[in-house]
Amino acid sequence: MALISSPLGAPVRAVARIRASVHVKLLAGFLLITLLFIAITAVSLRAVRETARQTDLLDQAQVRVGWSRQIEHALAMQMHFTSMALLAQSEDSVGLILRENNRFNDTLARLETAAPPEERALIQAIRVAQDDAMATVADIANAVRDRRMADAMTALRTRQEPIYQKIETLVGSLVAAEDTRMASLRRSIAAAQARSLRQMAGFAVAAVAVALIAGFVISWSFILPVREFHGFLSQVAEGRFGGSVAVPNRDEFGALAERMNWMSGELRRLDDEQRVAAATLRGLNDRLELASRAKSEFLANMSHELRTPLNAILGFTEIMLDELYGEVPPNLREPLVDIQTNGRHLLRLINDVLDLSKIEAGRLELGVDEYSVQEIVDVVHASLRSLAIEKGLAFSVWVAPDIPPARGDGRRITQCLMNLAGNALKFTRHGRVEIDVRLDEGWLTYRVSDTGIGIPKEEVENIFAEFRQVDTTITREYGGTGLGLSITKRLVEMHGGRIGVESELGRGSRFFFTVPLHADGGPA
Amino acid sequence: MRDRTVLHIEDNEYNRKIVRQLLSRTSYRLLEAADGEEGLAVAQRELPDLILMDVQLPKLSGLDATRLLRADPRTAKIPLVVVTSFALSGDDRRAIDAGASAYLAKPYSPRDLMALIHRFLPEN
């Protein structure tokens, strides 16, 4: 797959190979993303705090500048009051000067406490100058008290004014220093803000990238095996067994792959076994087919081989009984009839066995054509009437008048009805045998009722099996091959119909079979 | 008018004997052949009035012999009864398809055979 060979293939495989459950991997992925968000928050907080600190410093510098202005003001006031004292030639202003001096000193003290170390020297210098100024003020005050106005004026002009100018200059440079500091602080704040913005942006981009890659890698470590499984299962669905699926996963998908490979192996094994079995079966089937064909040919040949001498036996017996060889002595007539009876029985057996073997080999085909139900019943009636008369039984037939021409193998239907009616006559000593045919919703029901010996309940279901007569003595007493019902059942089923019997022991039986009015036939 | 001639083609001696016995008291003249080739030769030489043909014969099968007789204009019109092995096996249909006038399933009753002969060939 293309992805596997891409640069991300290696981490995808690596994640897949981690021996942890899918649940844990997903949890780790979410945890990683959460941690990234926490880190972004921390970085932002740090930037905000830094900015706040810088702003604080700026505020302090501003306060200090304010104080410096107050100092300047106090100084100006001192000079003003000193001048006033001189002008008024009074000491009254001294108190005001002292008040301003105190204000000056207080403010300077506060400034000194707040000032950064590099400004301490400057403040110290201001204080010294102020002390000088106060000393001069004191001298001036004394001079004014002593009315030495000239001295006072001189002191003011020569000492006091330069000191004040000095102080003014010092305070000016203090203010200038603070201004410089403030400017630098502002720059620093702007720089810090720009920096933290860059940091945060960079961090956010990095976090999003990491989260995307982590999500991609983790999800592909699940998608790849699923795709592999899909391809593999398609193969299996197409019937190509024995392939295997290889995934690097050591999680649930890995376990699933293992099971799939096991399943594939099992399927292959079963498929191979089935193929071998099918081949064996085919071989067996071919051999059975050959054997069956050989059996059928053998039976057909045997049938002919048996029929030829039987034809001679029955033929000679008949022409002897017809006295074509001259009069038959009375004592020989009975054994001749016995030969004839047994010969005919042997013939029926041969016919039935051949029929049954053909049906079982699937080689009996129905000769489907149009046939008349009435004709079939008439043929059966005509064939068996002499037997009924011989046994003193009432033998009647009834066919529903509205039956149209039917489709099926008429000769086989005749054979079926002949079998049932023949049995009925055989197993009935007194009373009657009736044949009736009805048509009901496209189905023909042929029914043969008798007042014969009946069939015990427990034998009813076996009655259609081969060589099943209720009692072997029955064969001897009543004759028959024991194959008639079985053949009849198969022939009826080949017509798509079914056969059944209702019987009461000692009271009689009612056999019936139902076939479609239009049977298409074909092997059952 | 000469006696009506019946040709019986059958490989089994006993079955030939039965027909021989059946016809011994009639006016029919009986010819016999024991295999398909001989039967074909006799039929083409003697031109009988009726042919009884067994299905399973040595050398040439009864059905093939029937087809050859039907293809020969001299013998095409002669009534021909095929004696089949087993009516239900389909021999009967094959016999009619090959050109037989009628068929009789073996084993047959000599009475039925006589009736069939009389039907195709009334006695003088």
Side-chain angles (χ1 to χ4, degrees), chain A residues 10-50:
Chain A
V12 167
R13 272 198 302 276
V15 168
R17 246 182 246 122
I18 294 170
R19 202 183 291 276
S21 73
V22 169
H23 174 71
V24 167
K25 284 180 188 177
L26 281 176
L27 211 62
F30 286 123
L31 204 64
L32 174 67
I33 290 164
T34 310
L35 285 177
L36 284 171
F37 275 106
I38 290 172
I40 289 176
T41 313
V43 168
S44 314
L45 278 177
R46 203 173 62 95
V48 168
R49 220 174 32 235
E50 176 64 17

Side-chain angles (χ1 to χ4, degrees), chain A residues 304 307-308 310-312 314-316 318-319 322-326 347 351 354-355 358 367 411-412 415, chain B residues 10 12 14-15 17-18 21-22 25 54 56 85-89 92-93 103 106-111:
Chain A
H304 174 78
R307 246 172 260 273
T308 302
L310 201 54
N311 191 57
L314 287 171
F316 280 120
E318 190 175 313
I319 57 177
D322 283 355
E323 303 192 325
L324 263 72
Y325 286 105
L347 176 64
N351 288 348
L354 191 70
D355 257 1
K358 277 192 153 186
R411 209 166 52 209
R412 292 299 183 180
Q415 190 183 353
Chain B
E10 159 71 85
N12 184 283
Y14 298 103
N15 287 328
K17 212 165 151 187
I18 287 172
Q21 184 62 36
L22 263 178
R25 297 191 178 179
D54 194 41
Q56 289 210 355
S85 263
F86 188 28
L88 292 178
S89 69
D92 48 349
R93 206 177 314 152
Y103 63 85
K106 204 191 257 185
Y108 51 80
S109 153
R111 275 176 233 163

Side-chain angles (χ1 to χ4, degrees), chain A residues 328-366:
Chain A
V328 178
N331 60 330
L332 285 187
R333 183 160 283 274
E334 197 187 323
L336 277 175
V337 169
D338 286 347
I339 291 171
Q340 194 174 42
T341 304
N342 281 283
R344 283 178 181 160
H345 184 59
L346 184 57
L347 176 64
R348 267 199 308 279
L349 267 171
I350 292 167
N351 288 348
D352 283 358
V353 167
L354 191 70
D355 257 1
L356 199 64
S357 64
K358 277 192 153 186
I359 290 170
E360 284 189 341
R363 286 173 174 272
L364 192 129
E365 281 173 22
L366 295 180

